[in-house]
Amino acid sequence: MVNPLPPQVHVLVRDWLSANNIVLQSRDGHVVVDSGYVKHEALTLELLASKYALGGEPLVKLVNTHCHSDHMGGNAAIRKKYDCPIALPEDEAPVVAQWDTKALLLDYADQTAPRFTADELLRRDDTHVWGDLEWRVVAAPGHDMRAVVFYNPEHRILISGDALWENGYGFIMPPAIDPLALAAARATLETLAQLDIRVVIPGHGDVFTNVEPALARAFARTEAFEAVPERLARHALKVVLTFCLLHRERMLLSDLPTYVDSIGVFRDINAGCLQLSAIELADMLVHELTRTGAVKQENGWLLPC
Ligand SMILES: [Zn+2]
């Protein structure tokens, strides 16, 4: 495939535990969007130092689309190495300043990230020049109510974070936990559908140009969630458990009921939406994740696939 991006835009495609790192090169100084999960920070630094990214040159700014652990977990390490300012969506900044670990889905979702502070705010509708390109900050609440995406009208590029992937988007909190989230996700998709987008750089997965079908899938998924909000609860918990499993590498199946009972996001979503016993909840999650091939069971252990 012909590279659909201008030559100064480089995407380090990562995995589910670490979000993609986007490098916007310029003679005026390079900018990086999103920093990955803390577990992979050494790899993130190595990739950023490669000739495809910064190649030993300074970094003038680190930017986050939103402050989930897989997007900002490398912030502290990158700042330590490059001594660069960090720019955050304006609504994320106070949450990061307080280091509200529940709102940031850290210990609340059995995740972790080294603490850091913000230096600059990204206000919605402001335009920033990064990598010699103009990027408009577009509010993108839903998966994260404080998230933004970045849009370049000249090349019609969207840096979408977790607001739009080729197949879906980041999990949404069910109405019992956040009554506004699903409606916000739909409104964000409608905003994105209004933009003239040629290519999307998602937070996870490859860069894609089939934007219309991706939006159609995202709308269809939203409709399915709206029809049966309980699906949202199951989906969110499956995504969080899969992430935790990648982070922990393996979990004892026999520990799982105690685990889901001890982690806030499982407890709250279960109490608000599913009302299963801890054993039933653990069984349901293992069964559904095994069926879809996200996890496997081996000698009493649950492993990621
Ligand atoms: Zn996210």
Side-chain angles (χ1 to χ4, degrees):
M1 184 175 96
V2 180
N3 179 8
L5 296 170
Q8 71 270 40
V9 178
H10 295 264
V11 182
L12 307 175
V13 175
R14 305 293 296 273
D15 53 22
W16 287 106
L17 197 57
S18 281
N20 294 339
N21 315 120
I22 301 144
V23 182
L24 306 168
Q25 297 173 332
S26 166
R27 252 176 252 162
D28 297 333
H30 310 315
V31 173
V32 166
V33 180
D34 286 343
S35 67
Y37 191 63
V38 61
K39 187 181 172 88
H40 292 162
E41 68 179 17
L43 176 60
T44 301
L45 291 178
E46 197 181 310
L47 290 169
L48 286 179
S50 75
K51 64 178 179 181
Y52 305 104
L54 303 173
E57 292 181 13
L59 179 63
V60 296
K61 193 171 302 195
L62 173 60
V63 174
N64 291 130
T65 56
H66 63 295
C67 289
H68 283 161
S69 64
D70 51 331
H71 293 255
M72 54 79 162
N75 280 19
I78 290 175
R79 161 130 66 199
K80 188 165 175 229
K81 175 164 177 182
Y82 291 97
D83 193 25
C84 61
I86 295 175
L88 297 186
E90 57 183 335
D91 294 343
E92 295 281 20
V95 181
V96 166
Q98 293 163 22
W99 206 245
D100 180 340
T101 58
K102 182 177 180 188
L104 293 169
L105 299 183
L106 293 176
D107 53 354
Y108 183 66
D110 187 29
Q111 296 171 25
T112 174
R115 190 166 183 169
F116 63 92
T117 51
D119 304 285
E120 288 175 31
L121 300 186
L122 304 169
R123 296 195 168 82
R124 64 201 65 190
D125 302 326
D126 275 4
T127 294
H128 298 267
V129 177
W130 301 325
D132 302 326
L133 299 168
E134 289 190 349
W135 297 95
R136 192 161 87 226
V137 179
V138 179
H143 161 68
D144 178 329
M145 294 302 277
R146 303 173 293 273
V148 300
V149 296
F150 305 115
Y151 177 64
N152 169 256
E154 184 192 356
H155 297 277
R156 298 183 287 146
I157 306 167
L158 183 75
I159 295 176
S160 66
D162 290 345
L164 178 67
W165 300 333
E166 190 161 14
N167 240 312
Y169 44 70
F171 76 88
I172 309 276
M173 282 295 183
I177 305 297
D178 186 343
L180 303 176
L182 186 55
R186 170 174 280 284
T188 289
L189 290 177
E190 278 158 7
T191 301
L192 299 185
Q194 297 292 315
L195 298 174
D196 182 10
I197 303 169
R198 183 180 58 85
V199 51
V200 175
I201 305 174
H204 302 270
D206 288 323
V207 171
F208 62 91
T209 53
N210 288 325
V211 182
E212 232 169 83
L215 275 168
R217 281 190 292 271
F219 275 114
R221 169 176 291 232
T222 306
E223 227 159 85
F225 285 144
E226 286 162 348
V228 188
E230 196 195 290
R231 280 183 66 165
L232 218 45
R234 288 200 304 268
H235 179 254
L237 292 185
K238 284 188 282 183
V239 170
V240 174
L241 183 60
T242 305
F243 188 89
C244 296
L245 197 55
L246 286 169
H247 152 74
R248 288 173 171 264
E249 297 180 11
R250 60 182 192 166
M251 294 166 88
L252 263 179
L253 280 160
S254 56
D255 285 349
L256 218 54
T258 312
Y259 175 81
V260 297
D261 210 29
S262 66
I263 303 297
V265 71
F266 291 97
R267 230 179 18 230
D268 289 353
I269 292 182
N270 185 34
C273 312
L274 303 172
Q275 288 113 30
L276 300 171
S277 71
I279 291 175
E280 287 169 335
L281 178 62
D283 279 354
M284 181 276 282
L285 292 170
V286 169
H287 176 77
E288 291 204 11
L289 287 171
T290 305
R291 186 175 56 80
T292 56
V295 304
K296 59 187 175 191
Q297 302 170 44
E298 257 176 42
N299 306 321
W301 291 93
L302 190 64
L303 303 163
C305 281

